Amino acid sequence: MENGRGLVWYRLRGLGLTCLCSLVFFIGAYLNNQKNEEVSTAVNGQRQPLYQVRTEERKVALTFDTTGGNRCIQEILDTLAGCGVKATFFVTGEWAGSYPEELKRITEGGHDIGCFGQKYVDMTEFTKQEIKETLQISAETVRELTGHEVRLFRAPYGKYSNEQIETAELLGYTVIGWSIDSEDWKNYGMDSVIGKVTQSEHLENGAVIRMHGDAEDTVQSLEAVISGLREMGYEPVSLTELAAF
């Protein structure tokens, strides 16, 4: 009888160890898959966009707000290509329709396309239906011109409402802010742009850097910004390379 009980106990112990090992394996696999994950919050009930990505990799996302013209786009794309960098460009539906060739060059270069909606206007007072319509119209414009689906949304002026974020997410978008603003749009000069990025207190793994696709200071400073980031051990990449959106 005792031998029977002992045999049962040993079998149960073996089964328990097997289950424990399996559990440890799956937890480890899960954590490994979560090494690049979204960091978003709510403040006093206000939903927040994704400002950075939690990752152990020394990578940062390079993004360009592109709404005001096309005079700088080719030079920016040439610099990115020369440096071997992929980035993310946020455009309006109006910009995409006005500059289809430039839009195609962006996608042909392997860069991400995100949207602001059809126009670059404050949408914090928009209804959910108005938000839905402007996102769908701009995404359809990009799709018709390039064949690419838009899955990233950034609010004009960085002004967000709960309605914007909730509606965008229901439509399948990831809502993107930024953690570092190069302030290239202020026309303070290339040294200012380089310093704002490479000396930012928010420069860390997974940071999202905001630049502009229509600013002269961006053209002048971009190569130095990329070089500076690399010297500090950071590799600039597109948002989809930084995280699986």
Side-chain angles (χ1 to χ4, degrees):
M1 188 70 175
E2 289 297 326
N3 290 338
R5 290 178 180 176
L7 180 60
V8 170
W9 185 85
Y10 279 115
R11 286 178 175 174
L12 289 174
R13 187 179 69 169
L15 179 61
L17 288 173
T18 300
C19 292
L20 179 60
C21 290
S22 298
L23 179 62
V24 170
F25 172 81
F26 285 114
I27 290 175
Y30 174 80
L31 292 175
N32 183 62
N33 288 332
Q34 298 300 308
K35 66 178 181 178
N36 288 5
E37 59 184 37
E38 300 176 14
V39 179
S40 58
T41 59
V43 178
N44 296 324
Q46 172 60 55
R47 294 283 305 278
Q48 301 294 310
L50 171 65
Y51 290 113
Q52 72 176 82
V53 174
R54 184 180 294 116
T55 175
E56 296 177 359
E57 298 178 297
R58 298 280 285 179
K59 293 181 178 180
V60 295
L62 195 56
T63 71
F64 295 86
D65 289 4
T66 307
T67 61
N70 68 336
R71 71 186 189 280
C72 299
I73 284 295
Q74 191 55 56
E75 291 179 87
I76 289 173
L77 291 174
D78 288 345
T79 299
L80 292 173
C83 295
V85 171
K86 299 295 187 291
T88 302
F89 290 78
F90 287 91
V91 305
T92 62
E94 282 191 338
W95 190 93
S98 297
Y99 305 107
E101 292 305 314
E102 285 77 2
L103 183 73
K104 291 175 185 176
R105 289 175 195 156
I106 291 172
T107 58
E108 288 169 357
H111 306 290
D112 297 342
I113 292 288
C115 75
F116 289 110
Q118 185 61 11
K119 298 183 179 181
Y120 196 81
V121 295
D122 183 347
M123 294 195 292
T124 52
E125 299 301 320
F126 277 28
T127 65
K128 288 187 176 182
Q129 183 60 32
E130 289 172 329
I131 296 165
K132 179 180 179 180
E133 289 176 356
T134 191
L135 290 178
Q136 289 178 327
I137 292 170
S138 59
E140 181 60 27
T141 301
V142 173
R143 186 185 306 113
E144 289 179 351
L145 292 171
T146 68
H148 286 253
E149 296 290 336
V150 178
R151 285 293 175 260
L152 301 171
F153 167 66
R154 174 175 282 172
Y157 306 104
K159 295 182 178 180
Y160 294 89
S161 65
N162 286 343
E163 287 75 14
Q164 278 177 286
I165 294 177
E166 290 167 3
T167 303
E169 288 179 343
L170 285 173
L171 292 173
Y173 291 89
T174 299
V175 184
I176 304 292
W178 61 84
S179 56
I180 298 175
D181 190 348
S182 68
E183 297 188 1
D184 51 357
W185 51 277
K186 290 185 176 180
N187 299 316
Y188 289 160
M190 61 178 293
D191 289 341
S192 174
V193 174
I194 296 167
K196 287 291 183 181
V197 175
T198 61
Q199 298 174 27
S200 172
E201 62 179 333
H202 301 296
L203 181 57
E204 58 187 348
N205 295 357
V208 178
I209 300 167
R210 180 204 192 199
M211 302 187 80
H212 288 76
D214 51 8
E216 290 292 342
D217 283 350
T218 305
V219 174
Q220 301 298 323
S221 63
L222 182 55
E223 186 171 357
V225 167
I226 293 171
S227 296
L229 290 170
R230 284 173 167 168
E231 288 173 3
M232 299 175 72
Y234 294 102
E235 182 60 28
V237 298
S238 66
L239 280 164
T240 55
E241 185 176 345
L242 185 62
F245 294 124

